[in-house]
Amino acid sequence: VPHQPLRFDPILLAEENWRARGWDDAARGMAVLTSVMRAQQILLSSVTDVLAPYDLTFARYEVLMLLTFSSTGSLPIGKIGARLQVHPASATNAVDRLEEAALVERVANPRDRRGVLVAITRKGRKAATGATAALNDQVFSRLPLSADAMDQLFESLRALRREHGDFETPP
Amino acid sequence: VPHQPLRFDPILLAEENWRARGWDDAARGMAVLTSVMRAQQILLSSVTDVLAPYDLTFARYEVLMLLTFSSTGSLPIGKIGARLQVHPASATNAVDRLEEAALVERVANPRDRRGVLVAITRKGRKAATGATAALNDQVFSRLPLSADAMDQLFESLRALRREHGDFETPP
DNA sequence: TAAGATTGACTCTTCAATCTTC
DNA sequence: GAAGATTGAAGAGTCAATCTTA
């Protein structure tokens, strides 16, 4: 996004505007939500830059890693969508692109003829290995936060995800 | 996103897979980044639902609030893009949609004939008021996090934004 | 009837190219 | 030449509708 840095924090300023209107009980929530939006934009942009040489998007990279971690190297396309929490149409689209690049193959599912298995190819494994090395080195291990801040961030966002019903909370 | 809740936290599981491969120094960063992505998806979905009756997206709502907070009720379109940290083309698109709905007007900029001023209309102010009340009530004041967790989250994400160069850090 | 997957329509975002004005 | 704004093209996401199979 081509812009000069601002001389002030735009989200903090918005929060002040909120409080000036008497919306004190919502001001911090607005600021937190907006911060998450902006952080996502920043992080996705970093990831996108690193993945560009591999002709991968983050969504397609996630599909590849899911297959890498599966015992057979293949999964039903519906499972992929569920694990990645995206719409079935998005999973179809991601697999389309990966298949065009020969990183995965669609295989008939012998246990359910409605279903489609997505299998990672040798080329797909190579791409996943290279992309992971690049992401680990250039992004994941270099977030500008202390270990404590990362842990707090992870736990707070995990609570948010849990409350939203992303996953069951073990008893 | 139409899916059953998972019986485990998919991000925590991914982090375990990372560590199992010896990528310990990147595992938590991967988990944090993925959590931010997912949290953004959840929060944006909540906001989108609440704004739907007003025929507004979050991006268009943000434009409206920026104009509401400006002293004259109008801003150059370039300033809007800079404040919202989006591409100029996105600002143009958002203003197009708002103008179609008669929530803003494009006005010639008397100080720079290259520029365009975007002015909020009476109808735009009404929409902003209603949408803000709904968002404050249904989303911003109801995030499922403690006040402490919200403050920690905000500060961590603020550090991330600052490091990325979103805004200048006062001396 | 319901579930798995795909398709087409629509929205939003970015980028590159263009046009006008500084 | 550089800056402000717009346009068209391409990518990725959701939704509603559809087709096949369970």
Side-chain angles (χ1 to χ4, degrees):
Chain A
V1 221
H3 286 300
Q4 298 276 50
L6 300 168
R7 289 198 305 281
F8 48 87
D9 178 355
I11 298 181
L12 205 52
L13 184 58
E15 187 179 1
E16 287 166 12
N17 280 320
W18 238 249
R19 294 191 191 280
R21 311 235 159 175
W23 301 327
D24 295 82
D25 57 336
R28 188 31 65 108
M30 181 281 300
V32 166
L33 185 145
T34 309
S35 298
V36 170
M37 300 286 172
R38 179 61 186 147
Q40 187 266 356
Q41 193 179 357
I42 290 168
L43 294 173
L44 181 58
S45 169
S46 299
V47 166
T48 300
D49 289 348
V50 172
L51 289 179
Y54 300 91
D55 197 33
L56 285 175
T57 63
F58 189 52
R60 302 209 289 264
Y61 170 75
E62 285 189 291
V63 172
L64 238 37
M65 292 315 287
L66 221 47
L67 293 171
T68 295
F69 291 140
S70 75
S71 52
T72 64
S74 67
L75 289 169
I77 194 167
K79 289 279 179 197
I80 294 177
R83 278 291 295 271
L84 265 31
Q85 313 265 35
V86 295
H87 197 277
S90 296
T92 294
N93 181 57
V95 170
D96 282 349
R97 304 310 178 104
L98 289 169
E99 197 171 28
E100 286 170 19
L103 304 181
V104 305
E105 288 175 333
R106 279 187 169 85
V107 186
N109 187 341
R111 310 167 65 133
D112 184 340
R113 277 185 300 179
R114 293 173 302 183
V116 174
L117 285 182
V118 180
I120 191 167
T121 63
R122 180 153 325 205
K123 189 177 175 191
R125 289 193 190 270
K126 277 191 190 274
T129 301
T132 298
L135 284 176
N136 281 342
D137 182 51
Q138 298 173 47
V139 181
F140 297 152
S141 65
R142 286 206 197 310
L143 296 189
L145 294 173
S146 69
D148 275 358
M150 303 252 287
D151 290 347
Q152 290 172 0
L153 195 49
F154 178 75
E155 289 304 334
S156 293
L157 296 177
R158 188 159 191 257
L160 188 83
R161 295 187 289 116
R162 187 192 299 111
E163 287 300 315
H164 182 261
D166 270 13
F167 53 93
E168 286 173 13
T169 157
Chain B
V1 224
H3 285 300
Q4 299 275 53
L6 300 168
R7 289 200 304 281
F8 49 86
D9 177 356
I11 299 181
L12 204 52
L13 184 58
E15 187 178 0
E16 287 167 13
N17 280 320
W18 239 250
R19 294 191 191 280
R21 310 234 160 174
W23 302 326
D24 295 83
D25 57 337
R28 187 33 65 111
M30 182 280 300
V32 165
L33 185 145
T34 308
S35 299
V36 170
M37 301 285 172
R38 179 61 187 148
Q40 188 266 354
Q41 192 179 1
I42 290 169
L43 294 173
L44 180 58
S45 170
S46 300
V47 167
T48 301
D49 289 347
V50 172
L51 289 179
Y54 300 92
D55 198 34
L56 286 174
T57 62
F58 189 52
R60 303 208 288 263
Y61 170 76
E62 285 189 292
V63 172
L64 238 37
M65 291 315 288
L66 221 47
L67 293 171
T68 295
F69 291 140
S70 75
S71 51
T72 64
S74 68
L75 288 170
I77 195 167
K79 289 280 179 196
I80 295 177
R83 277 290 294 272
L84 265 32
Q85 314 265 35
V86 295
H87 197 275
S90 295
T92 293
N93 180 57
V95 170
D96 283 348
R97 303 313 178 105
L98 290 170
E99 198 171 26
E100 286 170 18
L103 305 181
V104 305
E105 288 175 334
R106 279 187 168 85
V107 186
N109 188 339
R111 310 167 64 134
D112 185 340
R113 277 184 301 179
R114 293 173 303 182
V116 172
L117 285 182
V118 180
I120 191 168
T121 63
R122 179 152 327 199
K123 189 177 174 190
R125 289 194 191 269
K126 278 190 189 273
T129 301
T132 298
L135 284 177
N136 280 341
D137 182 50
Q138 298 173 47
V139 182
F140 297 153
S141 65
R142 288 205 195 310
L143 296 189
L145 293 173
S146 69
D148 275 0
M150 303 252 288
D151 290 346
Q152 289 172 1
L153 196 48
F154 179 74
E155 289 304 333
S156 293
L157 295 177
R158 187 160 191 256
L160 188 82
R161 295 186 291 115
R162 187 191 301 112
E163 287 301 314
H164 182 261
D166 270 11
F167 54 93
E168 287 174 11
T169 157

